[in-house]
Amino acid sequence: MKRLSMVALAAGVMVLTLAGCSSGKSGDAGSLKQAGTTTTSARTTSAAATTTTIESPVDLPAAAPTAATVVKKTSAPNGAQTTCADFRDLTEDAEQQVIQQVLAAHPGSFLDGSPAAALSTAKLACLAGTYANTPVAVAIRVAPK
């Protein structure tokens, strides 16, 4: 019986709190909207009045590079001995194959049975420039240095 009355009391307090919060915030939000609209329109009007000249758009030179295209490798050259530098240049399918090979080469590691965690760890570890020449297995700590 005491539990039921405590639940009813807690529900009543929550309803009153929510009712009090919603009525106070709607008035404040409305006044902020009106003040913000007035200020914004005043700023827009003054900015339009001061700017009278129109500049021509800037043309890019013809020799400017458009986008860097990086060709990803589809297979790992060294399998489980792939370095982080090579790992960063692989496609996602090739990355998964390398991780499967690393986990197969090092059974019983703490990442054994978690290829998704191993792949995420390898992606993060291989971002560091200091691990460029380090094998992925060493970088994700499943193999000793």
Side-chain angles (χ1 to χ4, degrees):
M1 189 68 171
K2 287 184 180 182
R3 289 182 186 173
L4 183 61
S5 62
M6 291 300 290
V7 170
L9 179 65
V13 169
M14 188 169 35
V15 167
L16 289 175
T17 303
L18 292 175
C21 289
S22 66
S23 65
K25 288 185 178 181
S26 65
D28 293 339
S31 63
L32 288 176
K33 286 181 185 177
Q34 292 173 353
T37 305
T38 307
T39 309
T40 305
S41 63
R43 287 181 189 160
T44 306
T45 307
S46 63
T50 57
T51 308
T52 55
T53 60
I54 299 174
E55 296 181 20
S56 62
V58 177
D59 293 329
L60 293 176
T66 55
T69 56
V70 177
V71 178
K72 298 270 188 173
K73 297 176 186 174
T74 58
S75 64
N78 299 330
Q81 296 300 319
T82 303
T83 63
C84 279
D86 293 332
F87 186 78
R88 287 187 294 213
D89 294 335
L90 298 176
T91 62
E92 289 194 29
D93 291 335
E95 288 174 349
Q96 290 176 354
Q97 290 173 358
V98 167
I99 292 301
Q100 289 172 355
Q101 292 171 359
V102 166
L103 293 177
H106 303 284
S109 68
F110 72 99
L111 290 172
D112 194 22
S114 301
L119 179 63
S120 299
T121 304
K123 285 183 178 184
L124 288 174
C126 288
L127 285 176
T130 56
Y131 282 148
N133 295 324
T134 305
V136 174
V138 174
I140 63 173
R141 310 267 194 250
V142 296
K145 291 182 182 180

